[in-house]
Each structure stands twice: as structure tokens, then as C-alpha cells.
């Protein structure tokens, strides 16, 4: 067979295997894995490089309305550009339902935001903020059939959070239709109580974002979400887990026999609450929810990755500019932590951080790296086996990694819309130097090669956790 492209002499890595092989690509898909493939229009020399499935980041916020006068720093153009530079070929973004809005209306808006702009492939999770009988009874089942097979619900943020009865009803629809529900676990009433106490005590600095959202508020909500899922008898994803106690809740639920997915993020491995106490309002750069905790929590999250408590390592990319009246330092935010928009950029740094700090430092092996950054995302969110692995028939979404490339992270190389990275100055070993999307090179020598977006919208199957479609 004559191939369009052959990747030669690389070390192929999947979630289960590592082997030396050439990769032959034809019509956007992997057509051969063998030695000495030579007959091709284009040959990419991967000597000394790892050949891995492109990263899939299943937790990315782009172009979401974020409150009065606040603007998210990335739209689908800049956010997916940044994703590509960081070795990702697919991102799963959120489509946020406004109260009173139908899910179809919301999707129309988000598809329009993304249309023609995406540098990598994109799919949407539906954020359910208004679970009316129509939404749960009619819209959602039809949308699951149409390929929107995952949802997110919030237990915090007034205006977004659902009450327990609403969560139960949403979980029930998920069980009947085969949708996978992601849950943001923090107890809103406890947080509001603590904010009130902080206000009485005149505590308004960014660092108090962390003390008003303590581990107990996350642990309690995690336990409650798991209990509600047990009652309904449906799998759920506990997203952005920040600490050992929430992790233990996941472990216990699994021991009871529940199917639970755990997710953690780079900020819980690399940052602590002390970062929110940096001088001159710098702490605002690190405000995200749940907040980064302490060193012991970082160690716990590493342990959770090593031991398989976490199936997913996602960025929770939720970018706001720092020095900007529409970002972190808006007029109210300068005076009170509760008006600092929650979220940090990270779609470009997720993979290099885990590669350097996890694989190169021997905390996880390279197959685990592929599992928690790509394969598991594909399986759990209905994209496998076309995405998330290197196999014959899979789409040729492939990242080539140079394990010896040393990089000092600086904001300018990340191509996102934020004016900072929380990881400025971090020294890393290993970088995704080349990225193919459907067989086409979109990153070469670490630089974007295409001006326009080549990504596609991905209609998804049901999660592997719903075996009737597995
Ligand atoms: N939850 C997220 O998942 N992302 C950003 C902010 C938040 O609270
Ligand atoms: Zn969340
Ligand atoms: Zn998020």
C-alpha cells in the first residue's frame, strides 16, 4: 500500500504497550503498524521520539459567559490553538444552559461559537442548570441519541447549582438514557456561611477564597453526590478532586460496588493555597474551585494517579486575564475575593507537566500517562476506539514527544488568551514537538503550521460505562 504519510523509527506508546514501529497513515486513519514502511508521499522521522495518541482534554471551558463584565480569556480559536501546542488533538468543552433556555438553544449558540474556529477536534458536555420536566423528559434523551452523551451538574454557585432533588432527577434521566454525569462537588451553603463569617471579620484578600472553600465542603459534597448516584444506581464522574478526603470517598464508593470515575488536574499537583497568598494581588491568578490545598494534598493526588483512583487527568482550563478589568482584577475583584472569577489556564500545560513531573520523575509509567491523558477520556466519553489510541483503523490524531527537550514555561509560548500562566518559570523535560490531526500536520517543531482551524465537531457514542453500547 502507498501511504499518505509514514512516521518512521518512533517508539509507539498506547495505554497498554510500548513498541518500536513505523506508522502508516492513509485517508486520515492509521492503516499500518509495521517495520520499514517506506512507500509514502511524506515521511516524518520520529527517531528518538515517542509516538502517542493525541491528548484528549475532557474538561475545558471556552467562551463561556462568566458574570457581569467578566470575559473568559479564550474563545474556541485561541483555546484550541493552545490545546494543539500542548499536544492535544481533542477537547471536550462545556455548553452552558442558561436558566429558562432549552438545551437545543444553548447548543446552537455554542456550535456557532466553535464553527470554523477549532484547531483541534471538539465535542460538548451539556451543563444542566435548569432541569425542567421538558429538559429531562424530552430534550435530554433526544440529545443523548444525537451524540451529546455527557452532562455536568454543579453543587455550588448560586444560579448554577442544583438541589438534591434536581440532581436525583438528572441522574435518573442519565441512567435511563445512558448519559455520563460529571459532578462539581462543593457544598454551596457551607461556602456561603463561611463567606459571611469572613466578611464580618474583614477578610477580603484572594487567599480567603481557599479558606471559604475548605476540604470539608468538598468532602461532604463528594459523599453526597456518591450517595445520590448509589441511590439512583448510575455511574458518575467526580471532577477536579483536590485532596485525600474526597479521594477516600471515591475509594469507599467503589468498594461498595459503585462505578465511579475520578478526575484530578495539574493545579492539585503543582499549586497550594499559599499561592493565593502571593503579594500585590498576584494570588488572584491562582483562584480556582476547588482551590489548591497543601503539600499533603498534592502528595495524595499523586498517589491517586499512581494507584488508579483517578482515571482522568484533565486541565479544567478556565482562563481569565489577570491584569484586566474584565478578568481577575476587575473593580470588585480587587476588593473582595468572591468577585475574582474562578479558574486558571492550563490546556497547553496539562500534558507537559504530567510528562515531566510524572513520567520523567518515575511517578507513573508512560502507558499510564497515555491512559489518563487520552485513552480513558476516549473510552469514558464515547470516542473510543477512533480516538485515544494508536491502532489500525483509528484516526491519525498523533502526538510525537521528544523526551529530551527541555523547556522553561513562559506565558508567550502557550498561545492562549490569558496574560499569565500559573506555571511561569517551571522547568520541564519532554515536549510534544509534532501533532497530526486526521493525518495532517498541525504542529511541527513545536510551532503551529496552520493558520485556520482544521478541527471537527465529534458526535459521540455512549460512555464505556454503559455496556449496552460498548
Ligand atoms: N468549576 C470548573 O469545573 N471549572 C472552573 C470553575 C469551576 O468552579
Ligand atoms: Zn467544576
Ligand atoms: Zn471546570
Amino acid at each position: 500500500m502507498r501511504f499518505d504519510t509514514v512516521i518512521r523509527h518512533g517508539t509507539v506508546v498506547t495505554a497498554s504497550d510500548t513498541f518500536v514501529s513505523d506508522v502508516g497513515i492513509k485517508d486520515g486513519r492509521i492503516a499500518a503498524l509495521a517495520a520499514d514502511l517506506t512507500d509514502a508521499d511524506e515521511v516524518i522521522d520520529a527517531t528518538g521520539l515517542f509516538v502517542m495518541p493525541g491528548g484528549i482534554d475532557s474538561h475545558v471551558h471556552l467562551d463561556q459567559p462568566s458574570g457581569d463584565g467578566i470575559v473568559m480569556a479564550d474563545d474556541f480559536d485561541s483555546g484550541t490553538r493552545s490545546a494543539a501546542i500542548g499536544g492535544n488533538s481533542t477537547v471536550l468543552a462545556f455548553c452552558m444552559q442558561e436558566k429558562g433556555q432549552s438545551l437545543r438553544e444553548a447548543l446552537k449558540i455554542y456550535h456557532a461559537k466553535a464553527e470554523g474556529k477549532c484547531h483541534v477536534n471538539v465535542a460538548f458536555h451539556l451543563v444542566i442548570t435548569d432541569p425542567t420536566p421538558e429538559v429531562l423528559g424530552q430534550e435530554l434523551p433526544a440529545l443523548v441519541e444525537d451524540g451529546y452523551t455527557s452532562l455536568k451538574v454543579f453543587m455550588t454557585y448560586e444560579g448554577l447549582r442544583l438541589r438534591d432533588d434536581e440532581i436525583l432527577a438528572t441522574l435518573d434521566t442519565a441512567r435511563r438514557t445512558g448519559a455520563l454525569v460529571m459532578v462539581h462537588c462543593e457544598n454551596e451553603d457551607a461556602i456561603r456561611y463561611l463567606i459571611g463569617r469572613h466578611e464580618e471579620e474583614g477578610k477580603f484578600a484572594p487567599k480567603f477564597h481557599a479558606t471559604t472553600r475548605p476540604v470539608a465542603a468538598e468532602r461532604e459534597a463528594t459523599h453526597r453526590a456518591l450517595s445520590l448516584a448509589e441511590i439512583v444506581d448510575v455511574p458518575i464522574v467526580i471532577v477536579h478532586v483536590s485532596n485525600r478526603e474526597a479521594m477516600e470517598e471515591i475509594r469507599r464508593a467503589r468498594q461498595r460496588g459503585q462505578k465511579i470515575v475520578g478526575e484530578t488536574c495539574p493545579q492539585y499537583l503543582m499549586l497550594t493555597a499559599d499561592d493565593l497568598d502571593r503579594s500585590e494581588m498576584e494570588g488572584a491568578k491562582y483562584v480556582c474551585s476547588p482551590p489548591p490545598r497543601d503539600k499533603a494534598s498534592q502528595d495524595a493526588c499523586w498517589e491517586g494517579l499512581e494507584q488508579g483512583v483517578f482515571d482522568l487527568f484533565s486541565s479544567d482550563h478556565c482562563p481569565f486575564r489577570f491584569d484586566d478589568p474584565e478578568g481577575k482584577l476587575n473593580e470588585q475583584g480587587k476588593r473582595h475575593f468572591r468577585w475574582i472569577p474562578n479558574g486558571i489556564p492550563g490546556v497547553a500545560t496539562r500534558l507537559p507537566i504530567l510528562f515531566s513531573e510524572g513520567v520523567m520523575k518515575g511517578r507513573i509509567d508512560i502507558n499510564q500517562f497515555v491512559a489518563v491523558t487520552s485513552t480513558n477520556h476516549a473510552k469514558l466519553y464515547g470516542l473510543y476506539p477512533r480516538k485515544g489510541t494508536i491502532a489500525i483503523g483509528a484516526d491519525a490524531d498523533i502526538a510525537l514527544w521528544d523526551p529530551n527537550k527541555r523547556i522553561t514555561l513562559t506565558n508567550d509560548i502557550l498561545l492562549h488568551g490569558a496574560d499569565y500562566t500559573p506555571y511561569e518559570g517551571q522547568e520541564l523535560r519532554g515536549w510534544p514537538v509534532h501533532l497530526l490531526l486526521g493525518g495532517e500536520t498541525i504542529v511541527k517543531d513545536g510551532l503551529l503550521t496552520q493558520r485556520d482551524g482544521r478541527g471537527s465537531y465529534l458526535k459521540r457514542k455512549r460512555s464505556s460505562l454503559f455496556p449496552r453500547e460498548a
Side-chain angles (χ1 to χ4, degrees):
M1 183 193 289
R2 183 166 175 84
F3 301 102
D4 300 328
T5 304
V6 162
I7 302 169
R8 292 215 69 195
H9 301 141
T11 300
V12 175
V13 186
T14 70
S16 55
D17 299 300
T18 307
F19 53 95
V20 174
S21 176
D22 294 349
V23 180
I25 298 167
K26 180 87 184 154
D27 298 330
R29 295 202 187 191
I30 297 169
L33 292 168
D36 301 325
L37 300 176
T38 48
D39 192 11
D41 295 345
E42 183 197 15
V43 174
I44 299 170
D45 180 11
T47 306
L49 306 182
F50 289 118
V51 179
M52 309 207 253
I56 301 176
D57 192 340
S58 61
H59 191 147
V60 174
H61 301 265
L62 299 173
D63 208 353
Q64 278 179 217
S66 303
D68 278 350
I70 304 297
V71 178
M72 202 167 257
D74 277 320
D75 62 8
F76 281 80
D77 178 5
S78 60
T80 59
R81 194 171 64 197
S82 187
I85 278 296
N88 300 282
S89 49
T90 295
V91 299
L92 273 66
F94 292 90
C95 165
M96 184 73 97
Q97 178 197 25
E98 306 278 330
K99 292 250 194 240
Q101 191 181 42
S102 76
L103 297 175
R104 292 257 181 219
E105 278 175 73
L107 276 168
K108 208 169 149 192
I109 292 168
Y110 279 83
H111 274 287
K113 288 173 191 262
E115 182 68 39
K117 284 196 180 169
C118 296
H119 295 269
V120 302
N121 301 316
V122 170
F124 294 106
H125 307 291
L126 301 164
V127 179
I128 308 295
T129 61
D130 200 2
T132 62
E134 295 73 40
V135 165
L136 296 185
Q138 278 111 53
E139 271 214 294
L140 205 45
L143 288 171
V144 173
E145 284 302 316
D146 285 353
Y148 302 94
T149 53
S150 53
L151 347 161
K152 183 176 180 191
V153 298
F154 283 86
M155 299 172 86
T156 184
Y157 300 124
E158 212 45 63
L160 295 182
R161 68 135 153 189
L162 303 189
R163 296 186 314 262
D164 289 354
D165 63 328
E166 295 174 319
I167 294 175
L168 284 162
T170 306
L171 291 176
D172 187 64
T173 299
R175 182 181 60 82
R176 283 186 289 107
T177 57
L180 185 58
V181 180
M182 312 158 80
V183 189
H184 179 130
C185 301
E186 288 184 290
N187 181 317
E188 175 66 15
D189 293 331
I191 291 164
R192 287 171 79 83
Y193 160 75
L194 285 171
I195 290 175
R197 246 174 65 181
H198 278 62
E199 286 173 341
E200 281 166 25
E201 294 165 12
K203 296 175 171 171
F204 299 110
K207 67 177 176 183
F208 297 117
H209 171 76
T211 48
T212 54
R213 307 183 88 96
V215 166
E218 184 181 343
R219 181 195 65 222
E220 184 282 329
T222 304
H223 179 81
R224 185 155 37 100
L226 292 165
S227 302
L228 299 179
E230 180 184 354
I231 288 161
V232 173
D233 187 21
V234 68
I236 56 170
V237 185
I238 305 293
V239 291
H240 46 49
V241 173
S242 72
N243 68 88
R244 181 177 297 280
E245 295 181 24
M247 241 170 74
E248 301 283 329
E249 294 293 340
I250 294 173
R251 279 201 174 109
R252 277 197 285 274
R254 286 181 180 159
Q255 277 160 12
R256 290 192 294 269
Q258 288 184 253
K259 284 188 199 166
I260 304 300
V261 179
E263 178 199 75
T264 194
C265 313
Q267 48 271 37
Y268 306 119
L269 305 179
M270 303 296 288
L271 306 176
T272 69
D274 288 346
D275 287 306
L276 279 79
D277 195 19
R278 295 196 192 196
S279 57
E280 303 299 330
M281 288 300 287
E282 284 267 318
K285 291 181 177 176
Y286 304 88
V287 167
C288 60
S289 294
R293 309 290 184 184
D294 56 7
K295 175 73 174 60
S297 301
Q298 289 184 344
D299 294 344
C301 289
W302 276 114
E303 183 190 304
L305 271 175
E306 289 157 23
Q307 298 181 355
V309 178
F310 300 123
D311 315 275
L312 301 174
F313 186 71
S314 309
S315 68
D316 197 1
H317 180 78
C318 188
F320 298 95
R321 292 175 57 80
F322 171 65
D323 193 6
D324 194 316
E326 294 181 329
K328 297 281 189 180
L329 297 191
N330 65 84
E331 277 312 311
Q332 286 179 297
K334 284 186 202 168
R335 291 195 291 271
H336 191 324
F337 63 86
R338 73 176 291 190
W339 302 112
I340 299 171
N342 285 207
I344 59 175
V347 74
T349 45
R350 171 186 76 125
L351 297 170
I353 283 174
L354 190 64
F355 191 88
S356 183
E357 295 295 303
V359 179
M360 297 307 276
K361 292 193 174 170
R363 285 162 158 148
I364 59 170
D365 69 34
I366 197 161
N367 308 102
Q368 249 177 311
F369 173 84
V370 171
V372 299
T373 60
S374 181
T375 313
N376 293 351
H377 300 253
K379 289 181 175 173
L380 290 164
Y381 292 115
L383 294 169
Y384 192 80
R386 280 196 69 163
K387 307 290 184 195
T389 195
I390 304 284
I392 291 173
D395 289 346
D397 294 353
I398 299 173
L400 307 188
W401 281 74
D402 181 349
N404 294 315
K405 191 159 176 91
R406 288 175 187 271
I407 291 263
T408 302
L409 286 179
T410 53
N411 192 53
D412 56 308
I413 63 174
L414 302 177
L415 307 188
H416 57 206
D419 54 352
Y420 76 99
T421 168
Y423 311 108
E424 185 77 28
Q426 176 78 39
E427 304 205 348
L428 298 177
R429 262 180 74 198
W431 194 258
V433 290
H434 199 116
L435 184 68
L436 296 111
L437 192 70
E440 184 182 12
T441 292
I442 63 165
V443 173
K444 190 174 178 195
D445 299 326
L447 300 172
L448 219 53
T449 58
Q450 311 288 346
R451 284 188 151 270
D452 53 335
R454 305 292 170 104
S456 309
Y457 163 71
L458 303 176
K459 180 174 171 172
R460 292 180 289 128
K461 297 184 299 180
R462 286 181 176 78
S463 170
S464 57
L465 292 176
F466 292 89
R468 64 190 156 125
E469 245 213 14

